[in-house]
mmCIF file of all heavy atoms in Angstrom:
data_model
loop_
_atom_site.group_PDB
_atom_site.id
_atom_site.type_symbol
_atom_site.label_atom_id
_atom_site.label_comp_id
_atom_site.label_asym_id
_atom_site.label_seq_id
_atom_site.Cartn_x
_atom_site.Cartn_y
_atom_site.Cartn_z
ATOM 1 N N THR A 856 29.683 -27.030 10.436
ATOM 2 C CA THR A 856 29.125 -25.652 10.599
ATOM 3 C C THR A 856 27.876 -25.687 11.498
ATOM 4 O O THR A 856 27.053 -26.680 11.228
ATOM 5 C CB THR A 856 28.738 -24.955 9.250
ATOM 6 O OG1 THR A 856 29.849 -24.912 8.454
ATOM 7 C CG2 THR A 856 28.093 -23.603 9.428
ATOM 8 N N PRO A 857 27.642 -24.775 12.461
ATOM 9 C CA PRO A 857 28.284 -23.501 12.638
ATOM 10 C C PRO A 857 29.380 -23.561 13.776
ATOM 11 O O PRO A 857 29.357 -24.556 14.531
ATOM 12 C CB PRO A 857 27.111 -22.625 13.100
ATOM 13 C CG PRO A 857 26.235 -23.629 13.917
ATOM 14 C CD PRO A 857 26.295 -24.884 13.106
ATOM 15 N N ASN A 858 30.093 -22.531 13.836
ATOM 16 C CA ASN A 858 30.998 -22.307 14.883
ATOM 17 C C ASN A 858 30.404 -21.522 16.021
ATOM 18 O O ASN A 858 30.105 -20.422 15.798
ATOM 19 C CB ASN A 858 32.295 -21.555 14.421
ATOM 20 C CG ASN A 858 33.382 -21.377 15.470
ATOM 21 O OD1 ASN A 858 33.153 -21.439 16.650
ATOM 22 N ND2 ASN A 858 34.630 -21.093 15.035
ATOM 23 N N VAL A 859 30.092 -22.133 17.164
ATOM 24 C CA VAL A 859 29.389 -21.417 18.225
ATOM 25 C C VAL A 859 30.265 -21.304 19.479
ATOM 26 O O VAL A 859 29.809 -21.246 20.567
ATOM 27 C CB VAL A 859 28.039 -22.143 18.631
ATOM 28 C CG1 VAL A 859 27.043 -21.968 17.487
ATOM 29 C CG2 VAL A 859 28.186 -23.642 18.868
ATOM 30 N N ASN A 860 31.586 -21.234 19.323
ATOM 31 C CA ASN A 860 32.484 -20.839 20.339
ATOM 32 C C ASN A 860 32.311 -19.365 20.757
ATOM 33 O O ASN A 860 32.241 -18.556 19.844
ATOM 34 C CB ASN A 860 33.931 -21.134 19.991
ATOM 35 C CG ASN A 860 34.268 -22.617 19.752
ATOM 36 O OD1 ASN A 860 34.781 -22.993 18.748
ATOM 37 N ND2 ASN A 860 34.004 -23.423 20.780
ATOM 38 N N ILE A 861 32.189 -19.086 21.990
ATOM 39 C CA ILE A 861 31.999 -17.761 22.372
ATOM 40 C C ILE A 861 33.321 -16.858 21.972
ATOM 41 O O ILE A 861 34.367 -17.255 22.200
ATOM 42 C CB ILE A 861 31.814 -17.591 23.910
ATOM 43 C CG1 ILE A 861 30.379 -18.065 24.239
ATOM 44 C CG2 ILE A 861 32.079 -16.223 24.426
ATOM 45 C CD1 ILE A 861 29.330 -17.175 23.764
ATOM 46 N N PHE A 862 32.930 -15.729 21.367
ATOM 47 C CA PHE A 862 34.019 -14.730 21.037
ATOM 48 C C PHE A 862 34.467 -14.002 22.240
ATOM 49 O O PHE A 862 34.145 -12.828 22.453
ATOM 50 C CB PHE A 862 33.484 -13.782 19.859
ATOM 51 C CG PHE A 862 34.536 -13.108 19.074
ATOM 52 C CD1 PHE A 862 34.165 -12.446 17.982
ATOM 53 C CD2 PHE A 862 35.852 -13.179 19.375
ATOM 54 C CE1 PHE A 862 35.132 -11.730 17.139
ATOM 55 C CE2 PHE A 862 36.833 -12.492 18.655
ATOM 56 C CZ PHE A 862 36.420 -11.813 17.534
ATOM 57 N N ARG A 863 35.190 -14.626 23.142
ATOM 58 C CA ARG A 863 35.464 -14.078 24.416
ATOM 59 C C ARG A 863 36.549 -13.044 24.441
ATOM 60 O O ARG A 863 36.647 -12.264 25.318
ATOM 61 C CB ARG A 863 35.840 -15.219 25.416
ATOM 62 C CG ARG A 863 37.162 -15.863 24.965
ATOM 63 C CD ARG A 863 37.698 -16.945 25.866
ATOM 64 N NE ARG A 863 38.981 -17.352 25.293
ATOM 65 C CZ ARG A 863 40.148 -16.900 25.664
ATOM 66 N NH1 ARG A 863 40.240 -16.073 26.726
ATOM 67 N NH2 ARG A 863 41.331 -17.226 25.142
ATOM 68 N N ASP A 864 37.439 -13.042 23.376
ATOM 69 C CA ASP A 864 38.594 -12.127 23.373
ATOM 70 C C ASP A 864 38.717 -11.654 21.914
ATOM 71 O O ASP A 864 38.835 -12.449 21.051
ATOM 72 C CB ASP A 864 39.801 -12.866 23.830
ATOM 73 C CG ASP A 864 40.955 -11.812 24.090
ATOM 74 O OD1 ASP A 864 41.428 -11.166 23.068
ATOM 75 O OD2 ASP A 864 41.440 -11.747 25.226
ATOM 76 N N PRO A 865 38.701 -10.352 21.744
ATOM 77 C CA PRO A 865 38.687 -9.765 20.346
ATOM 78 C C PRO A 865 40.048 -10.055 19.572
ATOM 79 O O PRO A 865 40.147 -9.730 18.429
ATOM 80 C CB PRO A 865 38.464 -8.355 20.575
ATOM 81 C CG PRO A 865 38.781 -8.018 21.961
ATOM 82 C CD PRO A 865 38.464 -9.235 22.697
ATOM 83 N N ARG A 866 41.035 -10.642 20.305
ATOM 84 C CA ARG A 866 42.223 -10.902 19.584
ATOM 85 C C ARG A 866 42.161 -12.293 18.775
ATOM 86 O O ARG A 866 43.001 -12.566 17.970
ATOM 87 C CB ARG A 866 43.399 -11.011 20.565
ATOM 88 C CG ARG A 866 43.901 -9.588 21.048
ATOM 89 C CD ARG A 866 44.746 -9.772 22.298
ATOM 90 N NE ARG A 866 44.006 -10.146 23.508
ATOM 91 C CZ ARG A 866 44.461 -9.914 24.702
ATOM 92 N NH1 ARG A 866 45.667 -9.341 24.949
ATOM 93 N NH2 ARG A 866 43.748 -10.334 25.787
ATOM 94 N N TRP A 867 41.156 -13.043 19.068
ATOM 95 C CA TRP A 867 41.013 -14.374 18.453
ATOM 96 C C TRP A 867 40.692 -14.262 16.910
ATOM 97 O O TRP A 867 39.695 -13.663 16.529
ATOM 98 C CB TRP A 867 39.923 -15.144 19.157
ATOM 99 C CG TRP A 867 39.780 -16.541 18.703
ATOM 100 C CD1 TRP A 867 40.856 -17.385 18.285
ATOM 101 C CD2 TRP A 867 38.664 -17.356 18.608
ATOM 102 N NE1 TRP A 867 40.373 -18.677 17.959
ATOM 103 C CE2 TRP A 867 39.043 -18.645 18.090
ATOM 104 C CE3 TRP A 867 37.323 -17.089 18.754
ATOM 105 C CZ2 TRP A 867 38.067 -19.632 17.864
ATOM 106 C CZ3 TRP A 867 36.356 -18.114 18.540
ATOM 107 C CH2 TRP A 867 36.707 -19.351 18.047
ATOM 108 N N GLY A 868 41.598 -14.851 16.106
ATOM 109 C CA GLY A 868 41.435 -14.606 14.744
ATOM 110 C C GLY A 868 40.250 -15.352 14.144
ATOM 111 O O GLY A 868 39.668 -14.928 13.080
ATOM 112 N N ARG A 869 39.701 -16.413 14.828
ATOM 113 C CA ARG A 869 38.614 -17.163 14.216
ATOM 114 C C ARG A 869 37.235 -16.616 14.860
ATOM 115 O O ARG A 869 36.191 -17.194 14.508
ATOM 116 C CB ARG A 869 38.804 -18.597 14.484
ATOM 117 C CG ARG A 869 39.969 -19.223 13.780
ATOM 118 C CD ARG A 869 39.916 -20.764 13.870
ATOM 119 N NE ARG A 869 38.884 -21.354 13.125
ATOM 120 C CZ ARG A 869 38.662 -22.657 12.990
ATOM 121 N NH1 ARG A 869 39.437 -23.470 13.692
ATOM 122 N NH2 ARG A 869 37.658 -23.161 12.252
ATOM 123 N N GLY A 870 37.360 -15.564 15.649
ATOM 124 C CA GLY A 870 36.078 -15.056 16.218
ATOM 125 C C GLY A 870 35.135 -14.602 15.081
ATOM 126 O O GLY A 870 33.958 -14.642 15.300
ATOM 127 N N GLN A 871 35.642 -14.215 13.895
ATOM 128 C CA GLN A 871 34.877 -13.826 12.791
ATOM 129 C C GLN A 871 33.853 -14.891 12.330
ATOM 130 O O GLN A 871 32.813 -14.647 11.769
ATOM 131 C CB GLN A 871 35.723 -13.533 11.635
ATOM 132 C CG GLN A 871 36.601 -14.595 11.067
ATOM 133 C CD GLN A 871 37.368 -14.385 9.873
ATOM 134 O OE1 GLN A 871 36.808 -14.227 8.811
ATOM 135 N NE2 GLN A 871 38.677 -14.108 10.028
ATOM 136 N N GLU A 872 34.235 -16.218 12.673
ATOM 137 C CA GLU A 872 33.284 -17.382 12.240
ATOM 138 C C GLU A 872 32.022 -17.401 13.131
ATOM 139 O O GLU A 872 31.064 -18.043 12.810
ATOM 140 C CB GLU A 872 34.055 -18.617 12.334
ATOM 141 C CG GLU A 872 35.361 -18.707 11.470
ATOM 142 C CD GLU A 872 36.044 -19.990 11.649
ATOM 143 O OE1 GLU A 872 35.427 -20.982 12.110
ATOM 144 O OE2 GLU A 872 37.234 -20.031 11.426
ATOM 145 N N THR A 873 32.044 -16.790 14.324
ATOM 146 C CA THR A 873 31.083 -16.982 15.313
ATOM 147 C C THR A 873 29.962 -15.795 15.195
ATOM 148 O O THR A 873 30.149 -14.895 14.301
ATOM 149 C CB THR A 873 31.635 -16.888 16.720
ATOM 150 O OG1 THR A 873 31.924 -15.520 17.107
ATOM 151 C CG2 THR A 873 32.945 -17.740 16.856
ATOM 152 N N TYR A 874 29.021 -15.847 16.041
ATOM 153 C CA TYR A 874 27.984 -14.789 16.004
ATOM 154 C C TYR A 874 28.134 -13.759 17.112
ATOM 155 O O TYR A 874 27.270 -12.941 17.375
ATOM 156 C CB TYR A 874 26.615 -15.456 16.104
ATOM 157 C CG TYR A 874 26.414 -16.545 15.027
ATOM 158 C CD1 TYR A 874 25.994 -17.793 15.463
ATOM 159 C CD2 TYR A 874 26.569 -16.291 13.720
ATOM 160 C CE1 TYR A 874 25.792 -18.790 14.452
ATOM 161 C CE2 TYR A 874 26.474 -17.276 12.735
ATOM 162 C CZ TYR A 874 26.047 -18.610 13.138
ATOM 163 O OH TYR A 874 25.892 -19.554 12.251
ATOM 164 N N GLY A 875 29.297 -13.839 17.807
ATOM 165 C CA GLY A 875 29.602 -12.721 18.830
ATOM 166 C C GLY A 875 29.896 -13.304 20.152
ATOM 167 O O GLY A 875 30.222 -14.458 20.338
ATOM 168 N N GLU A 876 29.867 -12.372 21.170
ATOM 169 C CA GLU A 876 30.254 -12.664 22.588
ATOM 170 C C GLU A 876 29.233 -13.015 23.492
ATOM 171 O O GLU A 876 29.511 -13.385 24.656
ATOM 172 C CB GLU A 876 31.046 -11.471 23.046
ATOM 173 C CG GLU A 876 30.081 -10.227 23.360
ATOM 174 C CD GLU A 876 30.967 -9.026 23.877
ATOM 175 O OE1 GLU A 876 32.139 -8.903 23.594
ATOM 176 O OE2 GLU A 876 30.265 -8.174 24.487
ATOM 177 N N ASP A 877 27.990 -12.993 23.075
ATOM 178 C CA ASP A 877 26.856 -13.292 23.946
ATOM 179 C C ASP A 877 26.353 -14.695 23.804
ATOM 180 O O ASP A 877 25.880 -14.984 22.674
ATOM 181 C CB ASP A 877 25.746 -12.220 23.820
ATOM 182 C CG ASP A 877 24.635 -12.474 24.795
ATOM 183 O OD1 ASP A 877 24.856 -12.205 25.972
ATOM 184 O OD2 ASP A 877 23.596 -12.928 24.311
ATOM 185 N N PRO A 878 26.182 -15.467 24.809
ATOM 186 C CA PRO A 878 25.675 -16.851 24.695
ATOM 187 C C PRO A 878 24.225 -16.917 24.214
ATOM 188 O O PRO A 878 23.873 -17.807 23.360
ATOM 189 C CB PRO A 878 25.744 -17.409 26.170
ATOM 190 C CG PRO A 878 26.779 -16.616 26.817
ATOM 191 C CD PRO A 878 26.723 -15.265 26.205
ATOM 192 N N PHE A 879 23.452 -15.913 24.649
ATOM 193 C CA PHE A 879 22.023 -15.989 24.197
ATOM 194 C C PHE A 879 21.861 -15.691 22.709
ATOM 195 O O PHE A 879 21.216 -16.364 21.917
ATOM 196 C CB PHE A 879 21.223 -14.974 25.082
ATOM 197 C CG PHE A 879 19.740 -14.919 24.638
ATOM 198 C CD1 PHE A 879 18.864 -15.981 24.991
ATOM 199 C CD2 PHE A 879 19.265 -13.859 23.940
ATOM 200 C CE1 PHE A 879 17.514 -15.883 24.667
ATOM 201 C CE2 PHE A 879 17.900 -13.811 23.664
ATOM 202 C CZ PHE A 879 17.025 -14.846 23.975
ATOM 203 N N LEU A 880 22.555 -14.580 22.254
ATOM 204 C CA LEU A 880 22.542 -14.220 20.880
ATOM 205 C C LEU A 880 23.098 -15.438 19.973
ATOM 206 O O LEU A 880 22.618 -15.734 18.963
ATOM 207 C CB LEU A 880 23.312 -12.934 20.657
ATOM 208 C CG LEU A 880 23.495 -12.478 19.173
ATOM 209 C CD1 LEU A 880 22.207 -12.192 18.524
ATOM 210 C CD2 LEU A 880 24.480 -11.318 19.061
ATOM 211 N N MET A 881 24.242 -15.926 20.468
ATOM 212 C CA MET A 881 24.849 -17.035 19.766
ATOM 213 C C MET A 881 23.867 -18.192 19.614
ATOM 214 O O MET A 881 23.767 -18.784 18.517
ATOM 215 C CB MET A 881 26.110 -17.468 20.532
ATOM 216 C CG MET A 881 26.886 -18.620 19.847
ATOM 217 S SD MET A 881 28.015 -17.996 18.589
ATOM 218 C CE MET A 881 29.332 -17.394 19.599
ATOM 219 N N ALA A 882 23.121 -18.495 20.675
ATOM 220 C CA ALA A 882 22.154 -19.664 20.633
ATOM 221 C C ALA A 882 21.086 -19.354 19.682
ATOM 222 O O ALA A 882 20.630 -20.196 18.816
ATOM 223 C CB ALA A 882 21.734 -19.956 21.998
ATOM 224 N N GLN A 883 20.504 -18.119 19.728
ATOM 225 C CA GLN A 883 19.385 -17.794 18.880
ATOM 226 C C GLN A 883 19.734 -17.878 17.428
ATOM 227 O O GLN A 883 19.005 -18.404 16.645
ATOM 228 C CB GLN A 883 18.882 -16.431 19.204
ATOM 229 C CG GLN A 883 18.269 -16.285 20.626
ATOM 230 C CD GLN A 883 17.012 -17.125 20.807
ATOM 231 O OE1 GLN A 883 16.060 -16.950 20.076
ATOM 232 N NE2 GLN A 883 17.016 -18.056 21.771
ATOM 233 N N ILE A 884 20.833 -17.225 17.049
ATOM 234 C CA ILE A 884 21.263 -17.284 15.615
ATOM 235 C C ILE A 884 21.677 -18.680 15.264
ATOM 236 O O ILE A 884 21.282 -19.207 14.162
ATOM 237 C CB ILE A 884 22.472 -16.252 15.382
ATOM 238 C CG1 ILE A 884 22.042 -14.884 15.713
ATOM 239 C CG2 ILE A 884 22.920 -16.347 13.888
ATOM 240 C CD1 ILE A 884 21.091 -14.252 14.828
ATOM 241 N N GLY A 885 22.361 -19.389 16.105
ATOM 242 C CA GLY A 885 22.898 -20.693 15.778
ATOM 243 C C GLY A 885 21.818 -21.681 15.595
ATOM 244 O O GLY A 885 21.875 -22.543 14.650
ATOM 245 N N VAL A 886 20.811 -21.688 16.442
ATOM 246 C CA VAL A 886 19.661 -22.592 16.387
ATOM 247 C C VAL A 886 18.970 -22.434 15.053
ATOM 248 O O VAL A 886 18.665 -23.416 14.342
ATOM 249 C CB VAL A 886 18.664 -22.485 17.505
ATOM 250 C CG1 VAL A 886 17.314 -23.097 17.214
ATOM 251 C CG2 VAL A 886 19.272 -23.039 18.807
ATOM 252 N N SER A 887 18.693 -21.246 14.677
ATOM 253 C CA SER A 887 18.027 -20.963 13.345
ATOM 254 C C SER A 887 18.845 -21.391 12.212
ATOM 255 O O SER A 887 18.387 -21.954 11.191
ATOM 256 C CB SER A 887 17.783 -19.468 13.220
ATOM 257 O OG SER A 887 16.752 -19.000 14.134
ATOM 258 N N PHE A 888 20.177 -21.143 12.307
ATOM 259 C CA PHE A 888 21.078 -21.621 11.199
ATOM 260 C C PHE A 888 21.026 -23.063 11.047
ATOM 261 O O PHE A 888 21.066 -23.599 9.910
ATOM 262 C CB PHE A 888 22.527 -21.052 11.445
ATOM 263 C CG PHE A 888 23.410 -20.937 10.308
ATOM 264 C CD1 PHE A 888 23.360 -19.753 9.507
ATOM 265 C CD2 PHE A 888 24.171 -21.988 9.847
ATOM 266 C CE1 PHE A 888 24.144 -19.667 8.440
ATOM 267 C CE2 PHE A 888 24.977 -21.912 8.702
ATOM 268 C CZ PHE A 888 24.931 -20.729 7.973
ATOM 269 N N VAL A 889 21.124 -23.799 12.098
ATOM 270 C CA VAL A 889 21.106 -25.282 12.061
ATOM 271 C C VAL A 889 19.773 -25.769 11.410
ATOM 272 O O VAL A 889 19.734 -26.701 10.568
ATOM 273 C CB VAL A 889 21.318 -25.841 13.431
ATOM 274 C CG1 VAL A 889 20.986 -27.413 13.444
ATOM 275 C CG2 VAL A 889 22.715 -25.721 13.893
ATOM 276 N N LYS A 890 18.702 -25.187 11.871
ATOM 277 C CA LYS A 890 17.415 -25.593 11.309
ATOM 278 C C LYS A 890 17.353 -25.373 9.833
ATOM 279 O O LYS A 890 16.745 -26.079 9.022
ATOM 280 C CB LYS A 890 16.257 -24.875 11.972
ATOM 281 C CG LYS A 890 16.047 -25.327 13.497
ATOM 282 C CD LYS A 890 14.868 -24.586 14.119
ATOM 283 C CE LYS A 890 14.613 -25.113 15.556
ATOM 284 N NZ LYS A 890 13.529 -24.395 16.236
#
C-alpha cells in the first residue's frame, strides 16, 4: 500500500483504490500516507 496508479479512465474497477486522476493530488496524499 498505497496504490498510486493514475485513475486515467473511470471504467477501471480498481480506480477506487487510488486518490484520483491528478498526479499532484495523488503525490500529496500518497506521500503523507506513506509517512
Side-chain angles (χ1 to χ4, degrees):
T856 299
N858 182 343
V859 290
N860 293 125
I861 285 294
F862 199 171
R863 67 180 181 92
D864 192 299
R866 286 167 287 200
W867 186 35
R869 296 190 70 180
Q871 61 175 285
E872 301 176 25
T873 77
Y874 307 125
E876 71 182 22
D877 181 71
F879 179 73
L880 175 63
M881 183 83 78
Q883 294 295 301
I884 300 291
V886 164
S887 291
F888 202 89
V889 168
K890 288 181 177 179

